[in-house]
Amino acid sequence: MNESILSKRLKTIAGFLPNQANFVDIGSDHAYLPCFVCTKDKGATAIAGEINEGPYLSAKKNVADFHLTDQIQVIKGDGLEVINDQDIDQVVIAGMGGTLIRSILMRGQERIRNVKRIIAQPNVDAHAVREWFYENGYCLVAEEIIKEDGHIYEILVADKGDATIPYEGMRLESSLLFGPYLLKEKNAVFQEKWYGEREKLERVIKQMHQAKDVNFEKIQLFQHEIEMIEEVLTYD
Ligand code: SAM
């Protein structure tokens, strides 16, 4: 498979898989990620899981076209139910909302008892995934924030282990929201993301004040988030 097909986002995710990975890619769509990894590493194997017929067929075709059927199984199914008795060491769930990723992990928890690493790339609501890791014994070991084609993406990597370690000495509420590693670095992409989020929240609050029944409780929650963002953007 030609490396140029793969986005910077998926290449970054691939970089967090070890050599000879045995991984499942949930919501694989075209199966680009498993095709890329298995072309480069002949010792790697993967399951490409897809719930929808169109992407499932597209994944099947690509795996066949790249002559990777001995390394990649394409299975149609909902979330982690595509894992049965296969040896799986890593799970990738990318390109979905954080709450959907959390719900996939929650519903399939029993099937990933032996999994060593989870790599998640939530398009929004990354905090929902961090919270799930924190509550379920997965220790966040790395985070990346990248910008590609005008979109900002967060990539979270967690290994089985003591989930409290990355949050030691930090305020839990804000480090779950911003990400403990991203918060320490506060790079330019991080700042761009959170300036944008603050603007979005301010716009929403303004609109909410114009509604017939003003939801003050929700406004207060958003206001609190704005305060947290301002604190993070103001102080080193
Ligand atoms: N993972 C790829 C990536 O990051 O480029 C594709 C992301 S695409 C936006 C999301 C894919 O997830 C779609 O192909 C969709 O059909 C699939 N999907 C959504 N919910 C799913 C579920 N519960 N189980 C499996 N696949 C799912």
Side-chain angles (χ1 to χ4, degrees):
M1 179 189 179
N2 186 340
E3 192 160 324
S4 64
I5 293 182
L6 209 70
S7 59
K8 172 174 156 189
R9 177 180 63 85
L10 288 178
K11 272 189 204 145
T12 307
I13 292 171
F16 286 111
L17 287 167
N19 285 334
Q20 307 201 326
N22 303 305
F23 70 105
V24 66
D25 181 29
I26 301 296
S28 196
D29 202 353
H30 304 278
Y32 285 151
L33 177 73
C35 286
F36 174 74
V37 172
C38 292
T39 300
K40 277 208 329 183
D41 179 356
K42 286 292 150 197
T45 58
I47 297 173
E50 246 304 328
I51 198 169
N52 288 311
E53 181 73 4
Y56 163 75
L57 292 176
S58 153
K60 268 209 127 20
K61 182 176 179 326
N62 283 334
V63 169
D65 288 352
F66 292 123
H67 308 289
L68 291 166
T69 48
D70 54 338
Q71 284 171 273
I72 305 171
Q73 265 183 289
V74 182
I75 304 179
K76 198 170 164 197
D78 183 1
L80 295 162
E81 76 174 27
V82 296
I83 306 175
N84 285 300
D85 48 6
Q86 309 97 323
D87 280 337
I88 293 294
D89 293 323
Q90 303 86 20
V91 173
V92 175
I93 315 181
M96 303 174 203
T99 51
L100 176 56
I101 294 178
R102 178 175 61 188
S103 124
I104 288 173
L105 290 169
M106 213 156 62
R107 289 184 288 122
Q109 198 160 5
E110 275 305 297
R111 293 173 194 258
I112 54 169
R113 267 194 315 263
N114 300 321
V115 158
K116 297 179 181 122
R117 168 163 286 190
I118 301 175
I119 306 168
Q121 182 268 297
N123 288 339
V124 290
D125 297 330
H127 65 92
V129 181
R130 287 191 196 96
E131 280 158 21
W132 191 88
F133 287 157
Y134 186 77
E135 287 158 7
N136 291 279
Y138 282 90
C139 175
L140 203 59
V141 293
E143 292 177 307
E144 293 264 345
I145 186 161
I146 60 165
K147 187 170 179 185
E148 182 171 44
D149 299 333
H151 297 285
I152 292 177
Y153 302 105
E154 287 179 44
I155 294 155
L156 317 182
V157 185
D159 289 345
K160 236 195 193 139
D162 184 350
T164 63
I165 292 171
Y167 300 97
E168 270 167 17
M170 302 182 90
R171 235 173 68 202
L172 190 60
E173 185 189 16
S174 63
S175 29
L176 285 169
L177 177 64
F178 299 106
Y181 299 99
L182 301 180
L183 198 51
K184 275 182 194 145
E185 196 184 347
K186 286 190 200 174
N187 69 19
V189 183
F190 175 92
Q191 299 203 21
E192 186 181 337
K193 176 193 163 101
W194 289 104
Y195 275 115
E197 290 296 323
R198 183 182 66 178
E199 259 178 52
K200 227 187 281 171
L201 285 169
E202 281 168 345
R203 255 196 326 270
V204 172
I205 290 177
K206 219 180 220 171
Q207 284 164 0
M208 286 174 80
H209 274 298
Q210 286 158 4
K212 222 163 69 195
D213 292 316
V214 181
N215 185 342
F216 288 105
E217 216 172 299
K218 203 152 191 189
I219 288 177
Q220 212 169 12
L221 278 178
F222 289 163
Q223 203 61 56
H224 176 60
E225 194 170 324
I226 289 176
E227 280 160 22
M228 285 203 292
I229 295 172
E230 279 174 352
E231 198 177 316
V232 156
L233 292 176
T234 312
Y235 302 107
D236 274 338

